[in-house]
Amino acid sequence: MRLLVLTTFFLVACTGLPTALTKPEIKVVSLTPIAADGFQQRFSVGLKVTNPNSEDIVLRGMSYSIDIGGHDIFSGVSGAVPVLKAYTETPVTVEVSANIMSVISLISDLTRKGPENLHYTLNAKLDVNALLPSISVTETGPVPFLNARSLATGQR
């Protein structure tokens, strides 16, 4: 009898769970140096997150990395992500650390090959809640030539 009551309770509780979500879109809109501590350089990354769903998405946190030209350059995590309102573009600012060895490798590649056709890849894992699986988002795009030169020389 207890098993029947527990099963019924579980099934009723599950009907309140949200349906499958369409993946949000994430675009990198800015990259600004914020602090240097020895060999560690931190950056502020501005993101534009578009929620194409009819429901708000409340995130517990997110992890993210940005590859440039095939090099794992930036990574970070954040537990302070705003609610992604339904059918809205939400500005999100996160901090990342630069991988100095990957930056050196990228600079070496840029001096040999040049910055033509340089692309970035943003990989993000959005932690929705304990009952739903994480949402993985990948966005790619070209790195404008001037930004590539600024990254390689450390200039803004």
Side-chain angles (χ1 to χ4, degrees):
M1 183 65 174
R2 277 186 168 170
L3 182 59
L4 180 60
V5 170
L6 287 174
T7 303
T8 303
F9 176 76
F10 181 74
L11 291 174
V12 169
C14 287
T15 59
L17 291 177
T19 58
L21 296 172
T22 301
K23 286 184 183 184
E25 294 178 14
I26 302 176
K27 302 283 186 225
V28 177
V29 295
S30 67
L31 177 66
T32 308
I34 54 172
D37 183 19
F39 287 111
Q40 182 180 9
Q41 175 68 53
R42 304 229 7 113
F43 290 83
S44 174
V45 178
L47 305 172
K48 180 176 66 171
V49 183
T50 304
N51 179 3
N53 295 286
S54 61
E55 299 177 25
D56 294 351
I57 300 175
V58 178
L59 299 176
R60 295 190 320 175
M62 67 185 283
S63 61
Y64 37 87
S65 65
I66 300 174
D67 298 348
I68 298 176
H71 300 276
D72 182 22
I73 302 294
F74 303 109
S75 62
V77 296
S78 179
V81 183
V83 173
L84 306 177
K85 296 288 187 184
Y87 300 121
T88 303
E89 293 179 344
T90 304
V92 176
T93 302
V94 295
E95 288 188 15
V96 295
S97 296
N99 178 333
I100 190 70
M101 297 310 291
S102 292
V103 170
I104 292 169
S105 181
L106 173 62
I107 292 169
S108 174
D109 283 356
L110 288 174
T111 58
R112 283 194 325 267
K113 301 176 192 174
E116 293 78 24
N117 299 319
L118 189 62
H119 286 79
Y120 75 89
T121 301
L122 168 74
N123 293 298
K125 184 178 88 168
L126 309 176
D127 184 7
V128 182
N129 66 41
L131 299 175
L132 293 175
S134 297
I135 301 170
S136 295
V137 179
T138 300
E139 296 288 338
T140 60
V143 175
F145 175 75
L146 293 176
N147 288 348
R149 174 176 280 163
S150 298
L151 179 64
T153 62
Q155 298 174 352
R156 289 182 77 188

